[in-house]
């Protein structure tokens, strides 16, 4: 049994492992782990406390995938629901669809009994106002919607917090699952989806080969289909490290004026795991059933 997560998943990794120890599935474990991070107001990149879009609205993206059946569910640009990962799971289980966005996702969440909640914390609101003020805007930005595309460049701010939470679990039956949740790029253009809700970009799991999940500039993972690529390279017989290297080579081929931080975690079918980043010093966390505490391991540095 194994749980691997991005470093900000440390707060939820014990909860995920508890699920596995109790005989729960990999899907249950990734959902449990992600939910803890979504409720953490200190994390400004996921769920409650996440930094908002250009209009000051918290818009969440999440996805979940079952490596046993290749079933997947996702939500994008969802407002007012604290646990988008659980809504994504219900999309997978209740609907003949994979991805719901915006008003439709919110409607489905309400139908499934998820409570509505204001997710914009005071701290996140102040950060948004401050960023707009620095950039010469003001809180009445909503009156200037016609010109908002000019402001979307704020989302390329290299100082912005850069994370998303990734969880991969392997349960006692050897099944793999992956879960991803994010508030996306701070100050993004409303309605922008990153890689996190796009199956194959920010998230992919297939018991037969392995699983991958990404954080960082989602537009790159969408264009290179990164998570699926890792699994495909594993299918072709590459080692976990070589599969990740090949995926990073694909990212390096992208012509992208906004290319920035990019990280991933990956697990192969034997349960070997790896974290990779183009930022030296970045870490990820991993825990097996025998461990009392997770280990925080360095990510291998690869350039994009
Ligand atoms: N991958 C996320 C997105 O593009 C953001 C991040 O991880 O920094 O929405």
């Amino acid at each position: 049994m194994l749980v691997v997560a991005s470093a900000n998943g440390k707060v939820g990794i014990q909860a995920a492992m508890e699920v596995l120890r109790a005989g729960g599935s990999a899907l249950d474990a990734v959902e449990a782990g992600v939910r803890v991070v979504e409720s953490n107001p200190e994390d400004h990149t996921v769920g409650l406390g996440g930094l908002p879009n250009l209009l000051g609205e918290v818009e969440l993206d999440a996805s979940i995938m079952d490596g046993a059946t290749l079933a997947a569910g996702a939500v994008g640009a969802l407002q007012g629901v604290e646990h988008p990962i659980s809504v994504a799971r219900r999309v997978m289980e209740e609907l003949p669809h994979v991805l719901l966005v915006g008003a439709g996702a919110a409607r489905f969440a309400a139908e499934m009994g998820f409570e509505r909640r204001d997710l914009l914390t005071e701290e996140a609101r102040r950060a948004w106002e401050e960023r707009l003020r620095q950039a010469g805007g003001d809180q009445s930005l909503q009156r200037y919607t016609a010109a908002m595309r000019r402001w979307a460049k704020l989302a390329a701010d290299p100082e912005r917090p850069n994370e998303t939470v990734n969880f991969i679990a392997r349960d006692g039956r050897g099944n793999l699952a992956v879960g991803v949740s994010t508030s996306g790029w701070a100050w993004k253009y409303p309605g922008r989806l990153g890689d996190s809700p796009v199956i194959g970009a920010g998230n992919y799991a297939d018991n037969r080969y392995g699983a991958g999940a990404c954080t960082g500039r989602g537009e790159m993972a969408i264009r290179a289909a990164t998570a699926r690529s890792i699994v495909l390279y594993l299918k072709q017989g590459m080692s976990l490290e070589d599969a990740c290297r090949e995926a990073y080579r694909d990212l390096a081929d992208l012509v992208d004026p906004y290319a920035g931080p990019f990280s991933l975690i990956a697990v192969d079918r034997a349960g070997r795991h790896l974290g990779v980043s183009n930022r030296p010093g970045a870490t990820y966390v991993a825990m097996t059933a025998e461990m009392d505490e997770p280990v925080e391991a360095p990510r291998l540095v690869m350039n994009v």
Side-chain angles (χ1 to χ4, degrees), residues 45 61 160-166 180 182-186 188 192-197 202 214-222 261-262:
T45 66
D61 299 342
R160 79 192 166 78
N162 178 265
E163 272 291 2
T164 283
V165 71
N166 292 164
V180 175
T182 190
S183 49
W185 274 37
K188 62 193 171 187
R192 175 264 185 191
L193 300 182
D195 57 324
S196 307
C214 307
T215 63
R217 179 161 161 72
E219 282 75 0
M220 293 169 71
I222 293 172
F262 195 94

Side-chain angles (χ1 to χ4, degrees), residues 31-76:
E31 183 181 357
V34 169
R35 282 176 67 97
V36 177
V37 186
E38 289 175 337
S39 292
N40 178 11
E42 308 294 313
D43 191 322
H44 296 302
T45 66
V46 181
L48 176 69
L51 293 174
N53 67 17
L54 268 177
L55 294 173
E57 303 159 337
V58 180
E59 278 187 341
L60 304 176
D61 299 342
S63 64
I64 193 162
M65 184 163 185
D66 179 0
T69 61
L70 308 187
V75 289

Side-chain angles (χ1 to χ4, degrees), residues 156-229:
D157 175 2
E159 297 303 320
R160 79 192 166 78
N162 178 265
E163 272 291 2
T164 283
V165 71
N166 292 164
F167 266 83
I168 299 175
R170 186 170 187 267
D171 65 27
R173 290 168 290 281
N175 288 325
L176 289 169
V178 55
V180 175
S181 185
T182 190
S183 49
W185 274 37
W187 344 125
K188 62 193 171 187
Y189 197 98
R192 175 264 185 191
L193 300 182
D195 57 324
S196 307
V198 178
I199 306 299
N203 148 344
Y204 205 80
D206 183 330
N207 278 359
R208 296 168 296 176
Y209 313 112
C214 307
T215 63
R217 179 161 161 72
E219 282 75 0
M220 293 169 71
I222 293 172
R223 290 163 67 197
T226 302
R228 168 70 173 142
S229 295

Side-chain angles (χ1 to χ4, degrees), residues 6-22:
S6 49
N8 59 339
K10 196 171 183 176
V11 294
I13 199 167
Q14 296 273 9
M17 184 47 78
E18 275 321 302
V19 168
L20 295 185
R21 284 193 183 120

